[in-house]
Amino acid sequence: MIEVVELCKSYGEVEALRDVSFSVKPGEIIGLLGPNGAGKTTLMKILTGYLQPSGGSARVNGLEVLENTQEVQRVIGYLPENAPLYPELSVQGYLQMIADLREIPTADRQRALSQAIHAVGLEDRLTRSINTLSKGYRQRVGLAQAILHRPNLLILDEPTNGLDPTQIVEVRRLVRKLAKHATVLISTHILSEVEASCDRAIILMAGEVKADAKLSELAATADAMVTIAATDNDEMVLSTLATLAGVRNVAVVAHDDGRVRIRVHGSTDRDLCPEIYQLVRDNDWLLHELRPEVRTLEAVFNDLAAANQVHGGVQ
């Protein structure tokens, strides 16, 4: 659905994007994650044909964006950070205008309007002026215009920006519902947004891709957590665990209620849990817990940020 190869974009001396490459398969829900100024919005504007790159290429649905801009825009539903709404219009009047602009055939128009309105829950707001709606409902109107023509690709730039917690949950639910019929690319700097809505994350920092993987892969580590009943000799336990092949180091995390929790740091991708379990049995330690260590997306993001040299960026 999307194929980006060595994409670059400069604003004078500022490099907003630097050799960005990735691909997105049909049906995926991708979180484009990064701090403000990472280049997320610049990338989305290039994919939607609003900006011309300085180098590289971008293809959507098999079409080169630069060479087939209008054809690409016909298969994309786009919700920019500030939804393109006309506050003086009613919800129904605005969506009918969008249907005209999208050149939806008259025979299909009523069905398209009805499906979009029901999908985002605007049935009881159709006659209301947009300027009387809450921000959450204005976002719904923005989503409705983005899906009105049943696009193959839905691009959402900060879809929950400025919403209250209840509205955020509603928009997330809508995104998951809409993803049943389209590939979705969501730009955000909110980590929980990606964890709640996406299957995969592409992390941009200073205009470069720093990570691109499924969330489960980003969360995976070579470490394990083991909790056993406290012994009289923690050092002996640590040194014994350290003898396992593939163990880089071992450390006590906490003592709690007669138990000791230990993190075993692995040096390879091999799952250490089976061998730790056997070692615990061989030494007659009372086992309370044994599990692979999983990193949060926040930990992944912070590790990448710490390793990344600070550059000037353009959002």
Side-chain angles (χ1 to χ4, degrees), residues 24-302:
V24 177
K25 297 177 181 178
E28 287 192 281
I29 308 176
I30 306 296
L32 185 61
L33 182 62
N36 291 329
K40 304 186 301 298
T41 297
T42 295
L43 175 58
M44 288 191 156
K45 287 182 177 179
I46 291 173
L47 290 176
T48 52
Y50 289 95
L51 275 181
Q52 182 173 337
S54 305
S57 65
R59 299 174 69 86
V60 172
N61 206 29
L63 299 172
E64 175 64 47
V65 176
L66 275 178
E67 298 174 1
N68 307 276
T69 303
Q70 288 189 345
E71 289 86 348
V72 167
Q73 289 175 341
R74 286 191 180 99
V75 302
I76 291 177
Y78 180 37
L79 177 63
E81 185 173 359
N82 297 307
L85 305 178
Y86 291 81
E88 69 277 7
L89 294 180
S90 68
V91 171
Q92 185 171 353
Y94 171 75
L95 293 178
Q96 288 173 336
M97 180 190 73
I98 297 298
D100 287 335
L101 293 173
R102 284 291 186 181
E103 299 179 344
I104 297 175
T106 303
D108 300 329
R109 186 163 299 188
Q110 189 57 46
R111 177 175 55 84
L113 286 165
S114 178
Q115 288 177 344
I117 289 165
H118 283 285
V120 302
L122 284 171
E123 298 92 335
D124 59 346
R125 298 294 194 279
L126 294 180
T127 60
R128 296 272 296 273
S129 296
I130 291 174
N131 61 6
T132 68
L133 300 178
S134 67
K135 186 158 187 176
Y137 271 99
R138 291 199 297 271
Q139 283 293 81
R140 292 188 188 206
V141 177
L143 281 168
Q145 67 80 25
I147 66 172
L148 188 59
H149 57 300
R150 294 186 68 84
N152 296 330
L153 174 61
L154 189 58
I155 295 181
L156 309 175
D157 193 357
E158 304 284 358
T160 60
N161 186 37
L163 301 185
D164 65 36
T166 300
Q167 294 166 340
I168 288 173
V169 171
E170 290 176 354
V171 171
R172 287 175 180 169
R173 188 181 299 117
L174 284 173
V175 168
R176 287 193 294 270
K177 184 177 179 181
L178 298 172
K180 296 178 181 178
H181 306 288
T183 303
V184 181
L185 181 64
I186 303 174
S187 167
T188 183
H189 62 279
I190 302 173
L191 302 176
S192 59
E193 198 68 41
V194 175
E195 290 179 316
S197 306
C198 302
D199 307 313
R200 171 179 153 209
I202 298 172
I203 300 178
L204 275 181
M205 290 186 178
E208 296 181 324
V209 175
K210 297 299 181 181
D212 178 3
K214 293 181 178 180
L215 296 187
S216 58
E217 294 170 349
L218 289 173
T221 73
D223 302 343
M225 295 294 296
V226 56
T227 301
I228 62 173
T231 69
D232 295 332
N233 192 343
D234 284 349
E235 291 301 320
M236 180 271 294
V237 173
L238 296 180
S239 62
T240 303
L241 287 169
T243 63
L244 290 173
V247 171
R248 187 171 72 249
N249 58 64
V250 183
V252 172
V253 175
H255 285 91
D256 184 35
D257 292 333
R259 303 174 183 180
V260 56
R261 184 149 44 104
I262 300 167
R263 177 177 288 111
V264 182
H265 295 275
S267 58
T268 68
D269 293 335
R270 186 164 53 85
D271 183 4
L272 293 171
C273 289
E275 294 175 51
I276 294 174
Y277 175 72
Q278 188 59 51
L279 191 67
V280 169
R281 287 193 60 185
D282 291 345
N283 286 274
D284 292 326
W285 299 331
L286 180 58
L287 180 66
H288 289 278
E289 180 187 35
L290 175 61
R291 59 177 172 82
E293 177 74 316
V294 177
R295 292 188 299 174
T296 64
L297 187 57
E298 180 179 3
V300 174
F301 189 87
N302 289 338

